[in-house]
Structures are given as structure tokens and as C-alpha cells.
Amino acid sequence: MVEVKPLDALVYNQKKVDIKDVIAPPYDVITNEEQQKLYKRSDYNIVRLILSKAEDRYKDAKESFENWQKENILVKLPCPSIFYIVQKYTTEAGRKVERKGFIAKNKIEEFSSKKILPHEYTMGGPKEDRLKLTTACKANFSQIFMVYSDPSMTVENEIAPKYTKNAPFIDVVDDKGVQNLVYIIDEPSDIEKIQALLSDKTLLIADGHHRYETALNYSKINTAAEAQYVMSYFTNSEDDNLIIFPTHRIITKFVEPYVLLESVKKYYDLDEYVFNSSNKDEIKKKFLEELEESNKTRISTGLYMKNVNKFYILKLKDGAIDSIDAPEELKKLDLTVLHELIITRELGYTKDEQMSQTGIKYIKQEFEAFDMIDKGEAEASFIMAYPRMQDVKDVSAAGYRMPQKSTYFYPKLLSGVAINPLK
């Protein structure tokens, strides 16, 4: 049984601060430049808690957190609540999306319970850092991103409309141009419905693996009741507005284009899309559309190389995966195939080089994967098709994890919408 509870949340006092000045992305996507901008934006920006610039950043975050509460910058909501969030944005392809979900807290479970499943691997450094911050401040400042399945769309169709007809608690456009609308669900009967809905679900961690494992470790250090729960965002995998974006593989170590093509031809059939300067954008659009269509029936990957006026769609040959030593659930993933057959076997990258991104980069933005080739900053870009939620579920349910940097759940969840005290 998955146990979910409303938050006894701390929130920003919007009578004292403008919410757009104090929110921030999750700590792990904030660059040094963005950190500086957020610092300048407000003395109360959440970045000062989640990514302090001080020499002793954990002590500094603790002091700021305590002072902001004393100054009534951060205030307690009058009753336990669930935060319903609608995030509106437009994809690069022009599709308008409204991703919906809610923030609550859930009881922390060991992965062995099978109630909560991971889908990617984590690294030690970030977990140690987040544990020090959690221990110092005794609070969750950011959410774990959880996915559950509810074909009846209970929250979206039955509960949320009661609240979304009113003015939102927060209405803010973030630095990526995403509009974030936040509504407070505080009716006990509605909260109970949400609790009952999730009680028999399996939760999949879509994003925030480091934060979840930190919460798991912290729950063993601090045995207080509040510390046995972690703040999470829950979204329904049955909603078409939940889109998983791919992470593209960029080869930065020199490789001769036609040598690479010969290697690729051992395992893939190739479709060529020739372009010139006048029709490049039109051909690129067709190439990307055809890549998605091809990947529905056959493992397919895109390829774009420096000084070659062609885009290629690589279509896996029958039997090509037979030589891959991996479970069936992983062998059906385009990234597993690409890494095992091309990046490891043909290009000779070691597992350590792939993990540390030595000679290879993992790029989320599609335009950047093309621009790096055009600017001569990379040798080849492998353009990945959009991952399927069902594949992620299948891999996790079988007890495996996706290759690193497989999925990119966009938009990121804002830090600063709610804070979950752990004492």
C-alpha cells in the first residue's frame, strides 16, 4: 500500500515577495550563470537554500531558512493541503501541452518493497550533498517526480475542476517560458479520494532519483514521523500531456564520417535525406517526422555528421540485437542498442568514458544536437526518438534500470512552490 498525505507546507508569503522573483529550477539543472542571476533577483530566492554560494553552504541555508520564517517570508498554510499544478508550454514542434499533477508527500519505501520503482542509476556525489542539506535544514525544498497509472483520470476529471474554476494560488511564468498554475486542494473529502486512489498504485520515479535515495537515507538517521515521508509530485502516465523527451548522444572525439557509416551499416539499414542550404530546415523537419514514424515499428535512430549534407535514419536490421548481452526488456530500447553496438563495440568507448561523458556528450535540446555539428563542435549527433512511457514501465517492473540519461521529463518542476518541513 502506498501511503500519501497532504502537506503541512511552508509557502512564500506573496504579500511580501513577488513569486516570480523567488522560484527557481531544481538545483541539479542550475548553471553557475543561472545561480548568479537568481541570487541577484531576490534576497529570498529559493536558490539561496537549495544551492547556496556561501563557503559553508549548509549552515548558510539553515540560517536563511530559519530567518525567512521569523520574517514571515515563509509562512505555514492554515491546513494540510495538496497542491494541484498545471504547466502550460509549447514544444519545439509547435504542440501546445498542459501537463497536470499534484504535490503531496508519500511514505518512504525501500525499492525492495516494489511499491516505488527507480528507472535510472544514480551517482554518489549528489546524494551526499543533498543529505547534508536535508540534515542541516530538516526540510524538503524540491519534489521527487513520481508517475502513477489511472486510466479513469480521477484527479484530472473529478477533483481538479472544482479548484481550477477559481483563481490560482500561484500563476507564474518561469525562465523557460512555462506557465505554472498552482491550486490548493484543501477539502478533506477530496484529499481522502486522492489518498484512496494512490493506495494500491505502484509509483515510478521519473526524475529525482538522487533526492529519493537521500530521503531514504535521511529517514534512517532521523526517526521522527515527518522524516519518514518525502515531498513528491505525482502525474498520471495515462495523460497524453505527459511527454518524455529524448536525450541525444553527441560524439565529440574525432571519427571519419564514412568510417562511422561503414560501422553503422553492419547493424542498420540507412535512409538518406539529402539537403542544401535552401531546403535544410524543410528536410530536417521531414527527417524528424519520419524518425518518429519509423521508430513505432522498428528500432530507429537519427544520425547527422559534420561536413555531410545528409541526415540519416538508421533502422535496425533483423537479428542485429542477438549479439547484445542484456535482458529482453533492455534490448528493445534504442539507446541500449546504440550504446552496445555502436558506441561501445564500434567506436570503442569504455563504460567509464560513457559515464563521465569523455568524448561523448548527452544533450537534451534537439536544436543543440544539430547546432554542435553545424558549428564544428562535434563529429556526429545520434538523434534519438521520443522514449515511450510503456518501455520505462516495463524495464522498471522487471527490476532493471534504463541506460543513464535515457529520459528527460519536461518541464522541470519549480523549487519554491511548497516546502515540506521534516520536524
Side-chain angles (χ1 to χ4, degrees), residues 260-315:
L260 176 56
L261 276 182
E262 288 307 308
S263 295
V264 165
K265 286 177 183 176
K266 295 178 185 178
Y267 312 100
Y268 296 88
D269 295 321
L270 273 57
D271 286 353
E272 297 183 3
Y273 293 77
V274 183
F275 63 82
N276 55 46
S277 57
S278 64
N279 68 358
K280 184 176 180 180
D281 288 345
E282 178 189 342
I283 299 298
K284 184 198 293 184
K285 183 172 183 290
K286 182 181 178 185
F287 155 72
L288 291 171
E289 289 171 352
E290 291 295 329
L291 172 60
E292 294 303 325
E293 199 59 36
S294 175
N295 197 54
K296 290 177 182 176
T297 56
R298 188 174 171 187
I299 292 177
S300 301
T301 300
L303 174 61
Y304 180 41
M305 297 180 292
K306 188 168 74 174
N307 300 326
V308 179
N309 286 355
K310 294 177 184 177
F311 302 118
Y312 296 90
I313 293 181
L314 318 181
K315 299 180 178 182

Side-chain angles (χ1 to χ4, degrees), residues 372-416:
M372 287 186 73
I373 300 299
D374 293 337
K375 293 175 181 176
E377 296 170 357
E379 302 298 317
S381 285
F382 288 101
I383 309 297
M384 310 310 298
Y386 279 64
R388 289 181 282 263
M389 190 71 230
Q390 191 57 51
D391 288 341
V392 178
K393 288 181 182 178
D394 291 346
V395 169
S396 299
Y400 304 115
R401 302 200 193 187
M402 305 276 283
Q404 70 171 128
K405 303 292 184 185
S406 296
T407 54
Y408 176 38
F409 287 84
Y410 180 87
K412 291 288 186 180
L413 296 165
L414 293 176
S415 298

Side-chain angles (χ1 to χ4, degrees), residues 117-353:
L117 302 175
H119 90 271
E120 283 188 337
Y121 287 100
T122 58
M123 293 178 283
K127 285 185 281 190
E128 183 183 348
D129 165 56
R130 290 300 97 179
L131 184 59
K132 287 179 179 177
L133 180 65
T134 306
T135 303
C137 296
K138 294 182 171 58
N140 299 142
F141 298 125
S142 304
Q143 308 83 22
I144 317 298
F145 190 131
M146 300 282 198
V147 175
Y148 68 96
S149 174
D150 175 31
S152 65
M153 308 285 282
T154 304
V155 175
E156 298 86 347
N157 294 340
E158 294 180 27
I159 298 172
K162 298 184 204 173
Y163 299 88
T164 54
K165 66 184 180 184
N166 302 318
F169 173 65
I170 291 173
D171 181 353
V172 63
V173 177
D174 63 30
D175 290 345
K176 299 292 185 185
V178 178
Q179 184 182 16
N180 296 263
L181 300 164
V182 182
Y183 303 86
I184 304 296
I185 296 176
D186 51 12
E187 282 291 332
S189 60
D190 290 327
I191 290 172
E192 287 170 12
K193 282 181 188 173
I194 293 173
Q195 290 176 305
L197 172 70
L198 290 184
S199 65
D200 64 347
K201 304 295 184 190
T202 298
L203 300 177
L204 175 68
I205 301 176
D207 198 6
H209 290 78
H210 291 109
R211 291 190 285 278
Y212 186 81
E213 291 183 29
T214 295
L216 186 59
N217 292 334
Y218 183 71
S219 71
K220 296 169 184 175
I221 297 168
N222 183 350
T223 56
E226 293 91 340
Q228 307 311 303
Y229 291 79
V230 65
M231 181 167 64
S232 296
Y233 166 85
F234 304 85
T235 191
N236 190 350
S237 63
E238 307 303 323
D239 189 344
D240 289 341
N241 288 277
L242 176 61
I243 302 174
I244 311 175
F245 289 80
T247 302
H248 310 291
R249 272 41 183 171
I250 317 302
I251 305 300
T252 56
K253 185 169 67 176
F254 176 76
V255 57
E256 170 61 49
Y258 295 102
V259 171
L260 176 56
L261 276 182
E262 288 307 308
S263 295
V264 165
K265 286 177 183 176
K266 295 178 185 178
Y267 312 100
Y268 296 88
D269 295 321
L270 273 57
D271 286 353
E272 297 183 3
Y273 293 77
V274 183
F275 63 82
N276 55 46
S277 57
S278 64
N279 68 358
K280 184 176 180 180
D281 288 345
E282 178 189 342
I283 299 298
K284 184 198 293 184
K285 183 172 183 290
K286 182 181 178 185
F287 155 72
L288 291 171
E289 289 171 352
E290 291 295 329
L291 172 60
E292 294 303 325
E293 199 59 36
S294 175
N295 197 54
K296 290 177 182 176
T297 56
R298 188 174 171 187
I299 292 177
S300 301
T301 300
L303 174 61
Y304 180 41
M305 297 180 292
K306 188 168 74 174
N307 300 326
V308 179
N309 286 355
K310 294 177 184 177
F311 302 118
Y312 296 90
I313 293 181
L314 318 181
K315 299 180 178 182
L316 193 67
K317 292 179 177 179
D318 290 342
I321 61 172
D322 293 346
S323 63
I324 296 176
D325 182 17
E328 290 303 316
E329 290 85 356
L330 290 171
K331 284 163 74 168
K332 67 180 181 181
L333 302 177
D334 55 357
L335 272 177
T336 299
V337 172
L338 178 67
H339 274 266
E340 292 297 325
L341 298 182
I342 304 301
I343 294 172
T344 301
R345 189 179 299 177
E346 294 296 327
L347 296 180
Y349 283 84
T350 66
K351 297 297 182 186
D352 284 345
E353 286 173 329

